[in-house]
Amino acid sequence: AQSVTQLDSQVPVFEEAPVELRCNYSSSVSVYLFWYVQYPNQGLQLLLKYLSGSTLVKGINGFEAEFNKSQTSFHLRKPSVHISDTAEYFCAVSAAKTSYDKVIFGPGTSLSVIP
Amino acid sequence: DTEVTQTPKHLVMGMTNKKSLKCEQHMGHRAMYWYKQKAKKPPELMFVYSYEKLSINESVPSRFSPECPNSSLLNLHLHALQPEDSALYLCASSQGGLPPYNEQFFGPGTRLTVL
């Protein structure tokens, strides 16, 4: 079975400052890793994903994440945040051998960008 | 068309009512999902349909009854719900089938309130 931990439930950050949202996972099998964003009163949108290859993954809206297998981490970063980045961010994992693309979500991190 | 649509956007129902949620996609995806999301929590998987057959039921109470009439449509029939069933109900779809992972596309959700 897989599980996901997001250590920070809330992250306040000033506009134009950098931000890092932390994600750790556990799994006994190879996994795919994802970051989703959910803006208020909306569904989920995929920010980026790691399937294989380069451990540095670039996504939409200027976000990137780095996969670290030894530390079982997949932290999300953005060098300069905007007010519009205020949202809930979910890290997620999917086992690499399932046929239903079942995704396990972390508890979420609420990012608040302060003007 | 990379969109998953859900109707209605909002639904208020009494505990004795019968209602249905509808989800539609025209991306040719063969896997469709229902999730339940409470406020400030991650989505919880309820059901997975793969090639129009129910593949996963995450021990969901029988007052929730899914239906997949064809490969583009997914319904969730609701009957005798409880106030604690109030939540955002998200539908998602993916190409399905064997790995590698196929991205899940989420709809905007139906906000359900049970009185």
Side-chain angles (χ1 to χ4, degrees):
Chain A
Q2 297 77 44
S3 67
V4 181
T5 304
Q6 292 180 246
L7 293 172
D8 306 303
S9 60
Q10 295 184 21
V11 173
V13 62
F14 286 103
E15 192 175 13
E16 297 184 6
V19 69
E20 178 179 82
L21 306 183
R22 296 181 291 169
C23 172
N24 289 88
Y25 71 93
S26 69
S27 176
S28 57
V29 300
S30 298
V31 294
Y32 303 129
L33 294 158
F34 317 91
W35 277 98
Y36 285 87
V37 61
Q38 186 173 31
Y39 299 104
N41 300 312
Q42 293 189 27
L44 275 72
Q45 182 181 9
L46 184 67
L47 271 179
L48 48 78
K49 61 189 176 189
Y50 173 78
L51 304 182
S52 64
S54 173
T55 56
L56 183 61
V57 180
K58 292 191 184 299
I60 62 172
N61 301 340
F63 284 94
E64 65 179 31
E66 184 150 21
F67 171 60
N68 187 318
K69 189 174 182 179
S70 62
Q71 297 186 9
T72 61
S73 67
F74 191 54
H75 300 331
L76 181 71
R77 302 185 185 99
K78 186 170 183 178
S80 174
V81 295
H82 302 286
I83 296 291
S84 58
D85 293 323
T86 294
E88 193 79 16
Y89 291 79
F90 294 100
C91 182
V93 63
S94 178
K97 298 296 182 185
T98 64
S99 58
Y100 305 121
D101 310 322
K102 183 175 178 178
V103 176
I104 307 298
F105 289 91
T109 296
S110 180
L111 176 64
S112 298
V113 180
I114 305 163
Chain B
D1 182 4
T2 58
E3 191 180 13
V4 176
T5 59
Q6 290 186 245
T7 54
K9 291 185 98 170
H10 301 276
L11 178 63
V12 179
M13 60 186 291
M15 289 190 285
T16 59
N17 292 156
K18 282 187 180 180
K19 296 286 185 184
S20 296
L21 309 185
K22 181 181 171 181
C23 173
E24 196 164 4
Q25 56 89 13
H26 295 287
M27 294 178 277
H29 288 173
R30 303 314 299 266
M32 295 186 77
Y33 312 75
W34 279 116
Y35 289 87
K36 174 183 178 180
Q37 186 181 26
K38 302 285 269 186
K40 300 296 184 185
K41 297 291 186 184
E44 298 173 17
L45 183 66
M46 299 174 71
F47 303 104
V48 180
Y49 272 83
S50 179
Y51 290 82
E52 300 162 48
K53 287 187 173 14
L54 183 63
S55 302
I56 295 178
N57 177 342
E58 294 284 319
S59 303
V60 179
S62 60
R63 57 186 184 268
F64 295 92
S65 175
E67 178 197 20
C68 190
N70 59 58
S71 60
S72 300
L73 274 176
L74 185 65
N75 297 320
L76 186 63
H77 302 299
L78 315 172
H79 174 54
L81 294 193
Q82 303 296 311
E84 60 264 29
D85 296 322
S86 298
L88 181 68
Y89 287 84
L90 294 165
C91 174
S93 71
S94 70
Q95 289 183 29
L98 294 173
Y101 176 81
N102 295 299
E103 176 183 345
Q104 287 190 28
F105 291 80
F106 283 82
T110 293
R111 177 77 58 190
L112 174 67
T113 303
V114 182
L115 300 176

